Amino acid sequence: MNILLVGEYSRLHNSLKEGLEQLGHNVVIIGFSDGFKGFSVDFPLEQKWNSGLLKKGKVLLYKLTGFNITSWFTYRQFRKYEDRLTNFDVVQIINENAFYCGYFYEKKMLQFLFQNNKKVFLMCCGTDYTTVNYYFENPSFMSLLPPYLEGKIKAKNFEGVLKFRRTAFKKTHDYLYKNIQGVIASDLDYHIPMQGKDKYLGMIPNPINSDKIAFAPLVIEDKIVIFHGINSESYFKKGNDYFEEALAIIEKKYPNQVEIITTRSIPYAQYIDLYNRAHILLDMVYGYDQGFHALEAMAKGKVVFTCAEKEFYDYYQLQERVNINARPDVPYLVDQLSQLIENPNDITEIGKNARKFVEKEHNYITSAAQYCSLWQTKNK
């Protein structure tokens, strides 16, 4: 099949592309490179007028005229690729707002894809109309919403989430659902809110290309290295404040036994290089399942503090620990870190389990085959 993947988050579509190519399909990606992470795309898009003085000019222009110049620039870039975005057997869009545009330009690009290709599918990956409304209707659900409700995040800094509750994005949501063949979730954090929803086809676990990720059994010869990579834009959404407070306690409690590496908003390749030395990686505290960075670290055999609630262990019917469930609770995090520092053999064992789990449940070729199966069962 000829397949077009629209958008990129955390390398999901790149890994899926690699799996699909192993199965003999022709695949290209159009989209942004996921900010500072710099992921590879075949037809790159760039958000213009989106920082510094130009962003202020954009905001002023929008207030005066209602015209979003960033959306217009994105649409112009899209138009340059149009002759190469037609006649695909399958198009998969990674999110309801994959082009980061307002309704007018988002719809124009989506309309072109619908009219010039055979089948179009949508992923429930990241925030969208369904998940955000589910979070607000179920505030006890472990999501990125609690830090906002607690006042840690200002509304203007939570715009990327709040926008999905507005009429314009409901229009985009309705337009997509009218034209797509189905929706696929990437992990339990999206699968749970999607239960019983129209056109929901089910969950396919995130594809991880373990062939590209070297596994190294964890050997502790001196200090236990703990890595904490922070994306400043999602500092509170990920629960980094809890991790930092816990690490400050751990550093004082075990000054001769641990080394702590903390980074902020660095490119993906540099991020990977720096955490290669680590035994333990701190990922996030809000959620039920792992995202891409956690899974890639687990594939390397790291012990990852991430989202791994009971629902996760039940879904995969796991008997052994493959990671550490992180929670927004500093004493709990300190206790979990302390247990590992004082029982280093557990670090080695969990690291081995993590690799086996990713190889079994997140194999990129198996995942790609599951996508193909779903795509082929749905008629236009």
Side-chain angles (χ1 to χ4, degrees), residues 209-244:
N209 188 347
S210 298
D211 295 343
K212 286 190 170 184
I213 302 174
F215 169 70
L218 296 175
V219 177
I220 302 168
E221 297 176 338
D222 186 15
K223 292 183 177 183
I224 293 169
V225 180
I226 304 172
F227 180 86
H228 183 204
I230 298 170
N231 177 351
S232 297
E233 291 183 4
S234 58
Y235 181 83
F236 289 109
K237 292 178 190 176
K238 302 283 188 180
N240 288 295
D241 49 330
Y242 293 100
F243 283 139
E244 288 208 294

PDB file of all heavy atoms in Angstrom, residues 209-244:
ATOM      1  N   ASN A 209      10.688   0.653  17.704  1.00  0.00           N
ATOM      2  CA  ASN A 209      11.668  -0.058  16.888  1.00  0.00           C
ATOM      3  C   ASN A 209      12.850  -0.468  17.765  1.00  0.00           C
ATOM      4  O   ASN A 209      13.868   0.220  17.829  1.00  0.00           O
ATOM      5  CB  ASN A 209      12.134   0.821  15.730  1.00  0.00           C
ATOM      6  CG  ASN A 209      13.013   0.059  14.752  1.00  0.00           C
ATOM      7  OD1 ASN A 209      13.474  -1.042  15.053  1.00  0.00           O
ATOM      8  ND2 ASN A 209      13.252   0.640  13.591  1.00  0.00           N
ATOM      9  N   SER A 210      12.698  -1.598  18.425  1.00  0.00           N
ATOM     10  CA  SER A 210      13.753  -2.093  19.311  1.00  0.00           C
ATOM     11  C   SER A 210      15.006  -2.492  18.555  1.00  0.00           C
ATOM     12  O   SER A 210      16.087  -2.596  19.147  1.00  0.00           O
ATOM     13  CB  SER A 210      13.240  -3.288  20.132  1.00  0.00           C
ATOM     14  OG  SER A 210      12.167  -2.900  20.956  1.00  0.00           O
ATOM     15  N   ASP A 211      14.872  -2.721  17.236  1.00  0.00           N
ATOM     16  CA  ASP A 211      16.052  -3.059  16.429  1.00  0.00           C
ATOM     17  C   ASP A 211      17.055  -1.911  16.430  1.00  0.00           C
ATOM     18  O   ASP A 211      18.257  -2.123  16.232  1.00  0.00           O
ATOM     19  CB  ASP A 211      15.642  -3.373  14.989  1.00  0.00           C
ATOM     20  CG  ASP A 211      14.788  -4.621  14.886  1.00  0.00           C
ATOM     21  OD1 ASP A 211      14.775  -5.406  15.852  1.00  0.00           O
ATOM     22  OD2 ASP A 211      14.122  -4.806  13.848  1.00  0.00           O
ATOM     23  N   LYS A 212      16.556  -0.689  16.617  1.00  0.00           N
ATOM     24  CA  LYS A 212      17.431   0.484  16.625  1.00  0.00           C
ATOM     25  C   LYS A 212      17.856   0.889  18.030  1.00  0.00           C
ATOM     26  O   LYS A 212      18.592   1.862  18.192  1.00  0.00           O
ATOM     27  CB  LYS A 212      16.705   1.671  15.967  1.00  0.00           C
ATOM     28  CG  LYS A 212      16.593   1.593  14.456  1.00  0.00           C
ATOM     29  CD  LYS A 212      16.088   2.910  13.881  1.00  0.00           C
ATOM     30  CE  LYS A 212      16.206   2.934  12.371  1.00  0.00           C
ATOM     31  NZ  LYS A 212      15.797   4.257  11.826  1.00  0.00           N
ATOM     32  N   ILE A 213      17.359   0.189  19.027  1.00  0.00           N
ATOM     33  CA  ILE A 213      17.630   0.563  20.419  1.00  0.00           C
ATOM     34  C   ILE A 213      18.420  -0.554  21.079  1.00  0.00           C
ATOM     35  O   ILE A 213      17.899  -1.648  21.332  1.00  0.00           O
ATOM     36  CB  ILE A 213      16.322   0.822  21.193  1.00  0.00           C
ATOM     37  CG1 ILE A 213      15.503   1.928  20.504  1.00  0.00           C
ATOM     38  CG2 ILE A 213      16.615   1.197  22.638  1.00  0.00           C
ATOM     39  CD1 ILE A 213      14.136   2.145  21.109  1.00  0.00           C
ATOM     40  N   ALA A 214      19.674  -0.284  21.354  1.00  0.00           N
ATOM     41  CA  ALA A 214      20.539  -1.301  21.956  1.00  0.00           C
ATOM     42  C   ALA A 214      20.184  -1.518  23.424  1.00  0.00           C
ATOM     43  O   ALA A 214      20.015  -0.557  24.186  1.00  0.00           O
ATOM     44  CB  ALA A 214      21.995  -0.883  21.828  1.00  0.00           C
ATOM     45  N   PHE A 215      20.051  -2.777  23.807  1.00  0.00           N
ATOM     46  CA  PHE A 215      19.802  -3.122  25.203  1.00  0.00           C
ATOM     47  C   PHE A 215      21.121  -3.393  25.898  1.00  0.00           C
ATOM     48  O   PHE A 215      21.965  -4.131  25.392  1.00  0.00           O
ATOM     49  CB  PHE A 215      18.908  -4.353  25.298  1.00  0.00           C
ATOM     50  CG  PHE A 215      18.821  -4.926  26.694  1.00  0.00           C
ATOM     51  CD1 PHE A 215      18.147  -4.247  27.696  1.00  0.00           C
ATOM     52  CD2 PHE A 215      19.437  -6.133  26.995  1.00  0.00           C
ATOM     53  CE1 PHE A 215      18.076  -4.771  28.977  1.00  0.00           C
ATOM     54  CE2 PHE A 215      19.372  -6.669  28.268  1.00  0.00           C
ATOM     55  CZ  PHE A 215      18.690  -5.983  29.270  1.00  0.00           C
ATOM     56  N   ALA A 216      21.293  -2.795  27.071  1.00  0.00           N
ATOM     57  CA  ALA A 216      22.498  -3.022  27.874  1.00  0.00           C
ATOM     58  C   ALA A 216      22.076  -3.329  29.306  1.00  0.00           C
ATOM     59  O   ALA A 216      21.484  -2.468  29.964  1.00  0.00           O
ATOM     60  CB  ALA A 216      23.404  -1.801  27.846  1.00  0.00           C
ATOM     61  N   PRO A 217      22.313  -4.552  29.785  1.00  0.00           N
ATOM     62  CA  PRO A 217      21.957  -4.868  31.175  1.00  0.00           C
ATOM     63  C   PRO A 217      22.570  -3.850  32.124  1.00  0.00           C
ATOM     64  O   PRO A 217      23.720  -3.435  31.950  1.00  0.00           O
ATOM     65  CB  PRO A 217      22.565  -6.258  31.381  1.00  0.00           C
ATOM     66  CG  PRO A 217      22.657  -6.842  30.007  1.00  0.00           C
ATOM     67  CD  PRO A 217      22.953  -5.688  29.096  1.00  0.00           C
ATOM     68  N   LEU A 218      21.796  -3.426  33.087  1.00  0.00           N
ATOM     69  CA  LEU A 218      22.252  -2.384  34.001  1.00  0.00           C
ATOM     70  C   LEU A 218      23.295  -2.930  34.974  1.00  0.00           C
ATOM     71  O   LEU A 218      23.033  -3.876  35.713  1.00  0.00           O
ATOM     72  CB  LEU A 218      21.055  -1.810  34.772  1.00  0.00           C
ATOM     73  CG  LEU A 218      20.020  -1.090  33.896  1.00  0.00           C
ATOM     74  CD1 LEU A 218      18.819  -0.668  34.730  1.00  0.00           C
ATOM     75  CD2 LEU A 218      20.648   0.117  33.215  1.00  0.00           C
ATOM     76  N   VAL A 219      24.467  -2.335  34.954  1.00  0.00           N
ATOM     77  CA  VAL A 219      25.554  -2.712  35.849  1.00  0.00           C
ATOM     78  C   VAL A 219      25.866  -1.509  36.734  1.00  0.00           C
ATOM     79  O   VAL A 219      26.096  -0.399  36.240  1.00  0.00           O
ATOM     80  CB  VAL A 219      26.814  -3.122  35.056  1.00  0.00           C
ATOM     81  CG1 VAL A 219      27.953  -3.449  36.019  1.00  0.00           C
ATOM     82  CG2 VAL A 219      26.499  -4.309  34.141  1.00  0.00           C
ATOM     83  N   ILE A 220      25.846  -1.716  38.022  1.00  0.00           N
ATOM     84  CA  ILE A 220      26.108  -0.625  38.970  1.00  0.00           C
ATOM     85  C   ILE A 220      27.481  -0.849  39.595  1.00  0.00           C
ATOM     86  O   ILE A 220      27.667  -1.722  40.438  1.00  0.00           O
ATOM     87  CB  ILE A 220      25.015  -0.564  40.049  1.00  0.00           C
ATOM     88  CG1 ILE A 220      23.647  -0.365  39.385  1.00  0.00           C
ATOM     89  CG2 ILE A 220      25.299   0.564  41.038  1.00  0.00           C
ATOM     90  CD1 ILE A 220      22.477  -0.566  40.304  1.00  0.00           C
ATOM     91  N   GLU A 221      28.458  -0.069  39.118  1.00  0.00           N
ATOM     92  CA  GLU A 221      29.823  -0.219  39.615  1.00  0.00           C
ATOM     93  C   GLU A 221      30.171   0.832  40.661  1.00  0.00           C
ATOM     94  O   GLU A 221      31.015   0.603  41.520  1.00  0.00           O
ATOM     95  CB  GLU A 221      30.803  -0.130  38.445  1.00  0.00           C
ATOM     96  CG  GLU A 221      30.618  -1.249  37.416  1.00  0.00           C
ATOM     97  CD  GLU A 221      31.521  -1.081  36.216  1.00  0.00           C
ATOM     98  OE1 GLU A 221      31.969   0.064  35.971  1.00  0.00           O
ATOM     99  OE2 GLU A 221      31.773  -2.093  35.517  1.00  0.00           O
ATOM    100  N   ASP A 222      29.525   1.979  40.568  1.00  0.00           N
ATOM    101  CA  ASP A 222      29.805   3.057  41.515  1.00  0.00           C
ATOM    102  C   ASP A 222      28.476   3.664  41.954  1.00  0.00           C
ATOM    103  O   ASP A 222      27.751   3.067  42.744  1.00  0.00           O
ATOM    104  CB  ASP A 222      30.712   4.101  40.867  1.00  0.00           C
ATOM    105  CG  ASP A 222      31.160   5.183  41.848  1.00  0.00           C
ATOM    106  OD1 ASP A 222      31.007   4.970  43.065  1.00  0.00           O
ATOM    107  OD2 ASP A 222      31.638   6.227  41.387  1.00  0.00           O
ATOM    108  N   LYS A 223      28.138   4.821  41.440  1.00  0.00           N
ATOM    109  CA  LYS A 223      26.897   5.473  41.824  1.00  0.00           C
ATOM    110  C   LYS A 223      25.736   5.053  40.911  1.00  0.00           C
ATOM    111  O   LYS A 223      25.934   4.693  39.758  1.00  0.00           O
ATOM    112  CB  LYS A 223      27.065   6.998  41.768  1.00  0.00           C
ATOM    113  CG  LYS A 223      28.018   7.559  42.816  1.00  0.00           C
ATOM    114  CD  LYS A 223      28.061   9.082  42.742  1.00  0.00           C
ATOM    115  CE  LYS A 223      28.961   9.637  43.835  1.00  0.00           C
ATOM    116  NZ  LYS A 223      28.974  11.133  43.834  1.00  0.00           N
ATOM    117  N   ILE A 224      24.536   5.131  41.457  1.00  0.00           N
ATOM    118  CA  ILE A 224      23.326   4.914  40.679  1.00  0.00           C
ATOM    119  C   ILE A 224      22.974   6.235  40.011  1.00  0.00           C
ATOM    120  O   ILE A 224      22.830   7.259  40.673  1.00  0.00           O
ATOM    121  CB  ILE A 224      22.170   4.436  41.583  1.00  0.00           C
ATOM    122  CG1 ILE A 224      22.485   3.040  42.127  1.00  0.00           C
ATOM    123  CG2 ILE A 224      20.849   4.423  40.803  1.00  0.00           C
ATOM    124  CD1 ILE A 224      21.541   2.581  43.228  1.00  0.00           C
ATOM    125  N   VAL A 225      22.867   6.214  38.688  1.00  0.00           N
ATOM    126  CA  VAL A 225      22.630   7.441  37.931  1.00  0.00           C
ATOM    127  C   VAL A 225      21.134   7.594  37.660  1.00  0.00           C
ATOM    128  O   VAL A 225      20.495   6.699  37.086  1.00  0.00           O
ATOM    129  CB  VAL A 225      23.410   7.438  36.604  1.00  0.00           C
ATOM    130  CG1 VAL A 225      23.150   8.737  35.833  1.00  0.00           C
ATOM    131  CG2 VAL A 225      24.905   7.257  36.866  1.00  0.00           C
ATOM    132  N   ILE A 226      20.584   8.742  38.062  1.00  0.00           N
ATOM    133  CA  ILE A 226      19.169   9.047  37.863  1.00  0.00           C
ATOM    134  C   ILE A 226      19.065  10.194  36.864  1.00  0.00           C
ATOM    135  O   ILE A 226      19.669  11.241  37.055  1.00  0.00           O
ATOM    136  CB  ILE A 226      18.490   9.439  39.187  1.00  0.00           C
ATOM    137  CG1 ILE A 226      18.672   8.336  40.234  1.00  0.00           C
ATOM    138  CG2 ILE A 226      17.000   9.723  38.961  1.00  0.00           C
ATOM    139  CD1 ILE A 226      18.195   8.726  41.626  1.00  0.00           C
ATOM    140  N   PHE A 227      18.291   9.986  35.794  1.00  0.00           N
ATOM    141  CA  PHE A 227      18.146  10.993  34.753  1.00  0.00           C
ATOM    142  C   PHE A 227      16.749  11.601  34.794  1.00  0.00           C
ATOM    143  O   PHE A 227      15.745  10.891  34.825  1.00  0.00           O
ATOM    144  CB  PHE A 227      18.393  10.372  33.372  1.00  0.00           C
ATOM    145  CG  PHE A 227      18.258  11.342  32.228  1.00  0.00           C
ATOM    146  CD1 PHE A 227      19.335  12.127  31.837  1.00  0.00           C
ATOM    147  CD2 PHE A 227      17.061  11.475  31.544  1.00  0.00           C
ATOM    148  CE1 PHE A 227      19.218  13.016  30.773  1.00  0.00           C
ATOM    149  CE2 PHE A 227      16.926  12.365  30.491  1.00  0.00           C
ATOM    150  CZ  PHE A 227      18.006  13.146  30.101  1.00  0.00           C
ATOM    151  N   HIS A 228      16.695  12.939  34.746  1.00  0.00           N
ATOM    152  CA  HIS A 228      15.420  13.663  34.733  1.00  0.00           C
ATOM    153  C   HIS A 228      15.457  14.673  33.593  1.00  0.00           C
ATOM    154  O   HIS A 228      16.080  15.721  33.700  1.00  0.00           O
ATOM    155  CB  HIS A 228      15.198  14.375  36.081  1.00  0.00           C
ATOM    156  CG  HIS A 228      13.881  15.074  36.175  1.00  0.00           C
ATOM    157  ND1 HIS A 228      13.666  16.135  37.030  1.00  0.00           N
ATOM    158  CD2 HIS A 228      12.707  14.864  35.534  1.00  0.00           C
ATOM    159  CE1 HIS A 228      12.412  16.545  36.899  1.00  0.00           C
ATOM    160  NE2 HIS A 228      11.813  15.792  36.002  1.00  0.00           N
ATOM    161  N   GLY A 229      14.815  14.315  32.476  1.00  0.00           N
ATOM    162  CA  GLY A 229      14.779  15.200  31.314  1.00  0.00           C
ATOM    163  C   GLY A 229      13.501  16.013  31.307  1.00  0.00           C
ATOM    164  O   GLY A 229      12.399  15.458  31.226  1.00  0.00           O
ATOM    165  N   ILE A 230      13.623  17.324  31.389  1.00  0.00           N
ATOM    166  CA  ILE A 230      12.462  18.210  31.510  1.00  0.00           C
ATOM    167  C   ILE A 230      12.194  18.919  30.187  1.00  0.00           C
ATOM    168  O   ILE A 230      13.102  19.485  29.580  1.00  0.00           O
ATOM    169  CB  ILE A 230      12.703  19.266  32.610  1.00  0.00           C
ATOM    170  CG1 ILE A 230      12.901  18.592  33.976  1.00  0.00           C
ATOM    171  CG2 ILE A 230      11.556  20.272  32.664  1.00  0.00           C
ATOM    172  CD1 ILE A 230      13.368  19.552  35.057  1.00  0.00           C
ATOM    173  N   ASN A 231      10.936  18.879  29.747  1.00  0.00           N
ATOM    174  CA  ASN A 231      10.453  19.722  28.658  1.00  0.00           C
ATOM    175  C   ASN A 231       9.770  20.909  29.336  1.00  0.00           C
ATOM    176  O   ASN A 231       8.700  20.757  29.942  1.00  0.00           O
ATOM    177  CB  ASN A 231       9.468  18.948  27.777  1.00  0.00           C
ATOM    178  CG  ASN A 231       8.877  19.797  26.671  1.00  0.00           C
ATOM    179  OD1 ASN A 231       9.064  21.018  26.637  1.00  0.00           O
ATOM    180  ND2 ASN A 231       8.153  19.163  25.772  1.00  0.00           N
ATOM    181  N   SER A 232      10.372  22.083  29.251  1.00  0.00           N
ATOM    182  CA  SER A 232       9.882  23.240  29.993  1.00  0.00           C
ATOM    183  C   SER A 232       8.419  23.566  29.684  1.00  0.00           C
ATOM    184  O   SER A 232       7.670  24.011  30.561  1.00  0.00           O
ATOM    185  CB  SER A 232      10.756  24.469  29.710  1.00  0.00           C
ATOM    186  OG  SER A 232      12.079  24.239  30.158  1.00  0.00           O
ATOM    187  N   GLU A 233       7.987  23.328  28.442  1.00  0.00           N
ATOM    188  CA  GLU A 233       6.622  23.647  28.055  1.00  0.00           C
ATOM    189  C   GLU A 233       5.599  22.760  28.755  1.00  0.00           C
ATOM    190  O   GLU A 233       4.431  23.143  28.906  1.00  0.00           O
ATOM    191  CB  GLU A 233       6.455  23.519  26.540  1.00  0.00           C
ATOM    192  CG  GLU A 233       7.198  24.595  25.746  1.00  0.00           C
ATOM    193  CD  GLU A 233       6.939  24.483  24.258  1.00  0.00           C
ATOM    194  OE1 GLU A 233       6.126  23.617  23.863  1.00  0.00           O
ATOM    195  OE2 GLU A 233       7.542  25.250  23.497  1.00  0.00           O
ATOM    196  N   SER A 234       5.997  21.575  29.177  1.00  0.00           N
ATOM    197  CA  SER A 234       5.060  20.661  29.840  1.00  0.00           C
ATOM    198  C   SER A 234       5.515  20.329  31.269  1.00  0.00           C
ATOM    199  O   SER A 234       5.249  19.248  31.772  1.00  0.00           O
ATOM    200  CB  SER A 234       4.907  19.378  29.015  1.00  0.00           C
ATOM    201  OG  SER A 234       6.162  18.749  28.831  1.00  0.00           O
ATOM    202  N   TYR A 235       6.209  21.294  31.891  1.00  0.00           N
ATOM    203  CA  TYR A 235       6.799  21.061  33.210  1.00  0.00           C
ATOM    204  C   TYR A 235       5.773  20.526  34.212  1.00  0.00           C
ATOM    205  O   TYR A 235       5.965  19.481  34.840  1.00  0.00           O
ATOM    206  CB  TYR A 235       7.427  22.359  33.724  1.00  0.00           C
ATOM    207  CG  TYR A 235       8.081  22.221  35.082  1.00  0.00           C
ATOM    208  CD1 TYR A 235       9.379  21.725  35.196  1.00  0.00           C
ATOM    209  CD2 TYR A 235       7.407  22.564  36.250  1.00  0.00           C
ATOM    210  CE1 TYR A 235       9.993  21.585  36.434  1.00  0.00           C
ATOM    211  CE2 TYR A 235       8.007  22.430  37.493  1.00  0.00           C
ATOM    212  CZ  TYR A 235       9.301  21.941  37.586  1.00  0.00           C
ATOM    213  OH  TYR A 235       9.894  21.797  38.819  1.00  0.00           O
ATOM    214  N   PHE A 236       4.671  21.244  34.394  1.00  0.00           N
ATOM    215  CA  PHE A 236       3.671  20.828  35.375  1.00  0.00           C
ATOM    216  C   PHE A 236       2.774  19.715  34.838  1.00  0.00           C
ATOM    217  O   PHE A 236       2.303  18.868  35.605  1.00  0.00           O
ATOM    218  CB  PHE A 236       2.826  22.026  35.816  1.00  0.00           C
ATOM    219  CG  PHE A 236       3.579  23.009  36.673  1.00  0.00           C
ATOM    220  CD1 PHE A 236       3.921  24.251  36.178  1.00  0.00           C
ATOM    221  CD2 PHE A 236       3.955  22.686  37.975  1.00  0.00           C
ATOM    222  CE1 PHE A 236       4.621  25.164  36.957  1.00  0.00           C
ATOM    223  CE2 PHE A 236       4.653  23.584  38.759  1.00  0.00           C
ATOM    224  CZ  PHE A 236       4.993  24.828  38.257  1.00  0.00           C
ATOM    225  N   LYS A 237       2.539  19.687  33.517  1.00  0.00           N
ATOM    226  CA  LYS A 237       1.705  18.638  32.939  1.00  0.00           C
ATOM    227  C   LYS A 237       2.293  17.252  33.191  1.00  0.00           C
ATOM    228  O   LYS A 237       1.572  16.272  33.345  1.00  0.00           O
ATOM    229  CB  LYS A 237       1.557  18.840  31.428  1.00  0.00           C
ATOM    230  CG  LYS A 237       0.758  20.059  31.013  1.00  0.00           C
ATOM    231  CD  LYS A 237       0.728  20.157  29.494  1.00  0.00           C
ATOM    232  CE  LYS A 237       0.148  21.470  29.019  1.00  0.00           C
ATOM    233  NZ  LYS A 237       0.208  21.600  27.545  1.00  0.00           N
ATOM    234  N   LYS A 238       3.616  17.172  33.198  1.00  0.00           N
ATOM    235  CA  LYS A 238       4.294  15.892  33.409  1.00  0.00           C
ATOM    236  C   LYS A 238       4.541  15.589  34.887  1.00  0.00           C
ATOM    237  O   LYS A 238       4.933  14.480  35.236  1.00  0.00           O
ATOM    238  CB  LYS A 238       5.650  15.881  32.683  1.00  0.00           C
ATOM    239  CG  LYS A 238       5.571  16.122  31.187  1.00  0.00           C
ATOM    240  CD  LYS A 238       5.121  14.909  30.438  1.00  0.00           C
ATOM    241  CE  LYS A 238       5.231  15.110  28.938  1.00  0.00           C
ATOM    242  NZ  LYS A 238       4.789  13.919  28.177  1.00  0.00           N
ATOM    243  N   GLY A 239       4.352  16.605  35.738  1.00  0.00           N
ATOM    244  CA  GLY A 239       4.614  16.403  37.163  1.00  0.00           C
ATOM    245  C   GLY A 239       6.072  16.556  37.525  1.00  0.00           C
ATOM    246  O   GLY A 239       6.545  15.974  38.509  1.00  0.00           O
ATOM    247  N   ASN A 240       6.810  17.345  36.740  1.00  0.00           N
ATOM    248  CA  ASN A 240       8.242  17.522  37.019  1.00  0.00           C
ATOM    249  C   ASN A 240       8.499  18.183  38.360  1.00  0.00           C
ATOM    250  O   ASN A 240       9.578  18.001  38.938  1.00  0.00           O
ATOM    251  CB  ASN A 240       8.887  18.352  35.898  1.00  0.00           C
ATOM    252  CG  ASN A 240       9.004  17.568  34.610  1.00  0.00           C
ATOM    253  OD1 ASN A 240       9.709  16.581  34.518  1.00  0.00           O
ATOM    254  ND2 ASN A 240       8.281  18.014  33.593  1.00  0.00           N
ATOM    255  N   ASP A 241       7.554  18.972  38.860  1.00  0.00           N
ATOM    256  CA  ASP A 241       7.728  19.599  40.175  1.00  0.00           C
ATOM    257  C   ASP A 241       7.834  18.534  41.266  1.00  0.00           C
ATOM    258  O   ASP A 241       8.625  18.677  42.209  1.00  0.00           O
ATOM    259  CB  ASP A 241       6.589  20.578  40.466  1.00  0.00           C
ATOM    260  CG  ASP A 241       5.208  19.993  40.217  1.00  0.00           C
ATOM    261  OD1 ASP A 241       5.047  19.115  39.346  1.00  0.00           O
ATOM    262  OD2 ASP A 241       4.253  20.430  40.906  1.00  0.00           O
ATOM    263  N   TYR A 242       7.057  17.463  41.158  1.00  0.00           N
ATOM    264  CA  TYR A 242       7.135  16.379  42.139  1.00  0.00           C
ATOM    265  C   TYR A 242       8.470  15.653  42.040  1.00  0.00           C
ATOM    266  O   TYR A 242       9.096  15.322  43.055  1.00  0.00           O
ATOM    267  CB  TYR A 242       5.991  15.384  41.928  1.00  0.00           C
ATOM    268  CG  TYR A 242       4.630  15.956  42.240  1.00  0.00           C
ATOM    269  CD1 TYR A 242       3.793  16.398  41.225  1.00  0.00           C
ATOM    270  CD2 TYR A 242       4.185  16.062  43.553  1.00  0.00           C
ATOM    271  CE1 TYR A 242       2.541  16.926  41.504  1.00  0.00           C
ATOM    272  CE2 TYR A 242       2.932  16.590  43.852  1.00  0.00           C
ATOM    273  CZ  TYR A 242       2.122  17.019  42.819  1.00  0.00           C
ATOM    274  OH  TYR A 242       0.887  17.551  43.102  1.00  0.00           O
ATOM    275  N   PHE A 243       8.919  15.407  40.817  1.00  0.00           N
ATOM    276  CA  PHE A 243      10.210  14.739  40.633  1.00  0.00           C
ATOM    277  C   PHE A 243      11.356  15.585  41.196  1.00  0.00           C
ATOM    278  O   PHE A 243      12.244  15.056  41.880  1.00  0.00           O
ATOM    279  CB  PHE A 243      10.461  14.466  39.147  1.00  0.00           C
ATOM    280  CG  PHE A 243       9.699  13.307  38.577  1.00  0.00           C
ATOM    281  CD1 PHE A 243       9.123  13.394  37.314  1.00  0.00           C
ATOM    282  CD2 PHE A 243       9.577  12.120  39.277  1.00  0.00           C
ATOM    283  CE1 PHE A 243       8.427  12.323  36.764  1.00  0.00           C
ATOM    284  CE2 PHE A 243       8.887  11.032  38.737  1.00  0.00           C
ATOM    285  CZ  PHE A 243       8.307  11.146  37.478  1.00  0.00           C
ATOM    286  N   GLU A 244      11.348  16.879  40.928  1.00  0.00           N
ATOM    287  CA  GLU A 244      12.446  17.727  41.396  1.00  0.00           C
ATOM    288  C   GLU A 244      12.491  17.781  42.925  1.00  0.00           C
ATOM    289  O   GLU A 244      13.577  17.747  43.522  1.00  0.00           O
ATOM    290  CB  GLU A 244      12.315  19.136  40.810  1.00  0.00           C
ATOM    291  CG  GLU A 244      12.630  19.197  39.321  1.00  0.00           C
ATOM    292  CD  GLU A 244      13.163  20.531  38.872  1.00  0.00           C
ATOM    293  OE1 GLU A 244      12.407  21.522  38.939  1.00  0.00           O
ATOM    294  OE2 GLU A 244      14.338  20.591  38.451  1.00  0.00           O
TER     295      GLU A 244
END
